[in-house]
Amino acid sequence: MHDARRHSPAAERNAPHILAELQRWLPASGLMLEIASGTGQHAAAFAAALPGWQWQPTDFDADALPGIADWCAARPNVRTPLPLDVLAPTWAGVSAEVDAIYCANMIHIAPWACTEALMRGASRHLAPQGMLITYGPYLEDGVDTAPSNLAFDADLKQRHPAWGLRRLADVARAARAHGLMLRERVAMPANNLLLLWARAQPA
């Protein structure tokens, strides 16, 4: 049988570091919606280490779904991958309420409207105590940007003028517009950040 799995060396390298924070943040059980699952390596690794969690992978690229399914075939707590366009007004097939949303390396490899749509969808689907977790490189005011990230930003913009590293302040502003606040910032290897967003508490 044909194995459709794709492989990302970066996903393999960063998974243990991200998992350590997920284990710190997440309760024992819940439903996780993953946006832009990519190869599916994160879904497979995290579902294996978090057996109390049901994992729902998704991706905009329908061609990626068979590979995600193959990576997760041995994981009974991973649901069938769904096609998902964050810009769609409704996310077909997604549970009305999820306990957490995980999105790695989409914000900078997509038009800005996708970041706004991610925040809008998170506000729509997250449980009251739910959390949105994003991973990737960001530009931060008052913080020197690593030369590798500057080069990556230039490469992304060359590949697509609507792509590029985002200012964390702009992402936070988009989150606030949908009632989400940045709760924790964790510096990760290779000049990436893991960010925890949650609903703003009533005044």
Side-chain angles (χ1 to χ4, degrees):
M1 183 178 291
H2 174 66
D3 188 334
R5 287 184 296 177
R6 302 173 180 178
H7 181 262
S8 164
E12 186 173 334
R13 287 194 303 268
N14 63 35
H17 304 283
I18 297 171
L19 176 60
E21 302 305 324
L22 295 182
Q23 290 172 322
R24 183 168 65 89
W25 285 338
L26 297 176
S29 62
L31 172 58
M32 175 72 75
L33 171 65
E34 183 179 10
I35 305 294
S37 297
T39 63
Q41 288 166 262
H42 280 178
F46 300 159
L50 301 164
W53 278 78
Q54 286 286 315
W55 204 276
Q56 177 62 75
T58 71
D59 204 87
F60 175 75
D61 179 8
D63 290 340
L65 302 182
I68 297 168
D70 282 349
W71 271 107
C72 299
R75 308 293 173 218
N77 56 329
V78 178
R79 298 182 177 184
T80 301
L82 294 173
L84 188 146
D85 179 357
V86 291
L87 295 173
T90 59
W91 291 352
V94 172
S95 298
E97 186 173 279
V98 299
D99 299 293
I101 296 174
Y102 173 72
C103 181
N105 293 319
M106 181 201 80
I107 287 176
H108 55 287
I109 313 180
W112 174 249
C114 292
T115 297
E116 296 175 316
L118 172 66
M119 299 304 177
R120 183 167 57 249
S123 179
R124 185 171 64 242
H125 285 278
L126 280 177
Q129 301 302 315
M131 61 189 77
L132 167 66
I133 299 164
T134 64
Y135 171 86
Y138 296 83
L139 304 174
E140 295 184 274
D141 295 341
V143 177
D144 290 338
T145 303
S148 60
N149 277 357
L150 290 174
F152 185 39
D153 182 51
D155 177 67
L156 287 170
K157 289 173 178 173
Q158 188 172 41
R159 289 159 59 188
H160 195 297
W163 293 2
L165 272 62
R166 309 301 179 188
R167 289 178 63 245
L168 180 52
D170 293 337
V171 178
R173 191 175 302 112
R176 284 196 301 273
H178 297 286
L180 300 173
M181 301 292 290
L182 181 60
R183 298 297 185 199
E184 194 164 343
R185 170 197 176 279
V186 180
M188 304 294 281
N191 303 302
N192 290 295
L193 297 177
L194 190 68
L195 304 175
L196 173 63
W197 311 84
R199 293 192 187 278
Q201 297 302 313

